[in-house]
Amino acid sequence: QLEGGDELQTKAVIVATGTRQQWMDVPGEREYLSKGLCYSAVSYAPLFIDKKTVVIGEGELAMRSTAELATVAQHVHLVGPSEETLDSDLGRKLVSSPNVTVLKNYQVTRVLGNGYAERIVVKDPEGNEMDIPADGTFVEKGLLPNSAMVADLVEVDEDGFINVDCYNRTNVPGVFAAGDVTSIFAEQVLVAVGEGVKAALAAYDYLLPTL
């Protein structure tokens, strides 16, 4: 059913509604978006060879991004990981890396700069603040799936991403899903495009007997 009340009937549907970024909601974030403050370290890492960088986030995505940047950057500050997240092979590697500083349970309070984000202000669990200069800052707090429209219809994981099989089929016949809204590996454009092609072919195969 559409917002205006009209209804559409179909024999198959592909859900490709994507995701949305989690914001920090701190002063300076919107002002410096794409001006030194980005949301994909994996995509932009090659631009920060021998640079000082910051990754903000508490989960697995933030740790993967830190590890990626650490292979090229002069230094990486990882702001906000939890004790639980760091208790892994990757977490222990980051803690022991000479060009990585892990600020466990820290929070960002504001982003500062002069036309371009130059540093961030963080506070420790006791409330003490410090400045971190950075050539590039990456917010890696994870993505939120736009799956609410079908969350009561198809099976989703604990984070709301739609579960699909290798044919991009959901658990409901005739309903397919593709891209970042699904529980696949890697949130990259090329991956999403490929998954969309798979979903289209699978939907066509599903419809073929009725054509």
Side-chain angles (χ1 to χ4, degrees):
Q1 185 174 17
L2 305 179
E3 288 184 358
D6 295 334
E7 293 186 357
L8 297 177
Q9 291 187 343
T10 182
K11 295 179 181 179
V13 63
I14 299 174
V15 181
T17 46
T19 56
R20 60 192 185 280
Q21 178 64 49
Q22 291 191 55
W23 295 91
M24 295 186 294
D25 290 323
V26 298
E29 180 179 21
R30 306 293 176 114
E31 178 183 355
Y32 292 110
L33 179 62
S34 297
K35 300 175 182 177
L37 182 69
C38 305
Y39 290 83
S40 179
V42 174
S43 298
Y44 294 102
L47 301 178
F48 290 88
I49 297 174
D50 295 329
K51 301 290 187 180
K52 295 177 181 178
T53 59
V54 174
V55 174
I56 301 163
E58 63 279 355
E60 181 70 24
L61 179 61
M63 292 210 305
R64 294 203 314 266
S65 298
T66 300
E68 179 76 18
L69 278 169
T71 63
V72 296
Q74 179 188 120
H75 198 89
V76 188
H77 277 83
L78 172 57
V79 180
S82 64
E83 185 73 49
E84 181 182 2
T85 302
L86 292 171
D87 187 20
S88 64
D89 290 340
L90 183 56
R92 286 184 283 273
K93 176 183 178 180
L94 294 178
V95 170
S96 63
S97 295
N99 68 331
V100 174
T101 298
V102 177
L103 301 177
K104 184 175 63 177
N105 295 323
Y106 276 59
Q107 292 183 331
V108 177
T109 59
R110 54 193 180 277
V111 182
L112 301 175
N114 183 18
Y116 186 90
E118 298 171 334
R119 64 191 191 279
I120 63 168
V121 181
V122 300
K123 66 177 180 180
D124 64 20
E126 284 72 46
N128 302 306
E129 289 192 337
M130 62 180 281
D131 280 19
I132 304 176
D135 298 305
T137 299
F138 300 90
V139 181
E140 300 284 9
K141 297 175 67 65
L143 300 171
L144 300 174
N146 298 318
S147 60
M149 62 183 291
V150 294
D152 294 329
L153 174 64
V154 302
E155 182 181 286
V156 298
D157 66 15
E158 60 182 10
D159 296 315
F161 291 90
I162 300 172
N163 288 326
V164 294
D165 63 13
C166 61
Y167 294 93
N168 292 87
R169 298 176 297 200
T170 68
N171 63 310
V172 177
V175 180
F176 303 82
D180 290 355
V181 75
T182 66
S183 55
I184 60 169
F185 173 74
E187 302 83 10
Q188 295 292 317
V189 172
L190 289 176
V191 174
V193 170
E195 290 292 301
V197 173
K198 284 172 56 184
L201 291 172
Y204 177 77
D205 198 51
Y206 172 80
L207 292 171
L208 197 54
T210 69
L211 298 179

